[in-house]
Amino acid sequence: MDRIIVASHNLGKIKEIKKILEPLGVEVESAAELHLGDVEETGTTFEENARLKSEHFAKETGFWSLADDSGLCVKALNGRPGVYSARYAPNRDFDKGMDMLLEELSQAESKDRSAAFVCVLALTSPNGKTKIFEGKVEGKIAESKKGKDGFGFDALFVPENLSQTFAEISQEEKNKMSHRGRALQKLIEYIKTEK
Ligand code: IMP
């Protein structure tokens, strides 16, 4: 497994995945860098969407392919936006999306601000076999946006045992505890046994 195609056009995610996998001696290229088309996320679960993407790009390129499907599940909103997180913000404008989430939460019946980021990784081999790795981080939605780093809903998410949001901490710190970092750790263990 010398080369993996990351089935994503999300630069924030690609950057995080590269940082974790490249030290293992795996060449990481993304669908965005290879100018490959997008795959429609028609699944209703994180796993279904991750599989759709990794299986598509493994077939198209003939290389190992890794896809991530992730999202923010907010308890008071019955787990939304969940698998629809990427589509929650109009035109992927997450600054606006975060304001909308705060507004929605202020109108919710429950005052519970608990939330979790969930990540499911699907790794598909050139012969089409897929393995699934999951990661989750519990936390809460901050009262207002804080921090300039990160992407998506980072500026609103305070992970458990921390008082800062994901947008206020370094990429290294985030990777140590994030949903994606945790799923990637499981993937790393698997890659080490496969190499
Ligand atoms: P998808 O997995 O490409 O469908 O997109 C997942 C969406 O969930 C992103 O567009 C973000 O809105 C949100 N999301 C997933 N992981 C993170 C994260 O680490 N930080 C902030 N937002 C995230």
Side-chain angles (χ1 to χ4, degrees):
M1 197 188 301
D2 298 324
R3 191 175 188 212
I4 292 183
I5 311 300
V6 177
S8 178
H9 290 78
N10 179 328
L11 298 181
K13 277 192 201 171
I14 296 166
K15 199 168 140 206
E16 287 186 9
I17 293 173
K18 280 192 173 185
K19 192 154 190 147
I20 292 180
L21 292 188
E22 285 184 340
L24 292 178
V26 179
E27 189 192 336
V28 179
E29 280 183 293
S30 66
E33 288 161 308
L34 295 174
H35 305 291
L36 302 174
D38 232 337
V39 177
E40 217 189 323
E41 297 185 2
T42 52
T44 55
T45 63
F46 293 115
E47 180 173 334
E48 265 182 83
N49 282 336
R51 268 182 193 276
L52 272 174
K53 292 185 273 187
S54 67
E55 289 173 5
H56 172 89
F57 287 111
K59 201 166 173 187
E60 186 172 346
T61 65
F63 290 105
W64 286 82
S65 176
L66 177 69
D68 147 304
D69 199 50
S70 52
L72 179 65
C73 304
V74 181
K75 202 165 175 182
L77 304 179
N78 299 318
R80 285 191 317 104
V83 286
Y84 305 106
S85 294
R87 286 163 269 178
Y88 184 81
N91 302 317
R92 298 197 176 231
D93 177 351
F94 280 96
D95 200 44
K96 203 172 265 173
M98 286 189 284
D99 290 339
M100 285 165 55
L101 189 77
L102 285 173
E103 176 63 23
E104 218 192 318
L105 206 48
S106 73
Q107 314 262 320
E109 230 168 82
S110 163
K111 293 296 150 225
D112 187 350
R113 302 187 79 84
S114 305
F117 265 128
V118 177
C119 172
V120 173
L121 292 173
L123 178 71
T124 303
S125 67
N127 64 14
K129 289 222 169 64
T130 301
K131 278 203 72 89
I132 298 292
F133 308 89
E134 288 190 38
K136 187 175 184 179
V137 55
E138 305 274 358
K140 59 180 181 347
I141 302 298
E143 297 290 338
S144 60
K145 297 178 278 190
K146 287 189 201 105
K148 292 266 169 279
D149 293 328
F151 69 97
F153 295 99
D154 274 346
L156 276 189
F157 186 78
V158 180
E160 59 189 353
N161 306 323
L162 212 74
S163 53
Q164 293 151 298
T165 68
F166 266 173
E168 292 179 291
I169 61 176
S170 68
Q171 181 99 76
E172 284 78 9
E173 260 184 289
K174 182 184 169 190
N175 280 347
K176 274 187 222 154
M177 68 183 91
S178 78
H179 49 315
R180 193 165 302 101
R182 286 175 178 164
L184 282 164
Q185 276 312 319
K186 293 182 187 171
L187 172 77
I188 286 171
E189 293 312 312
Y190 176 75
I191 292 179
K192 282 184 183 161
T193 62
E194 285 293 297
K195 273 206 119 200

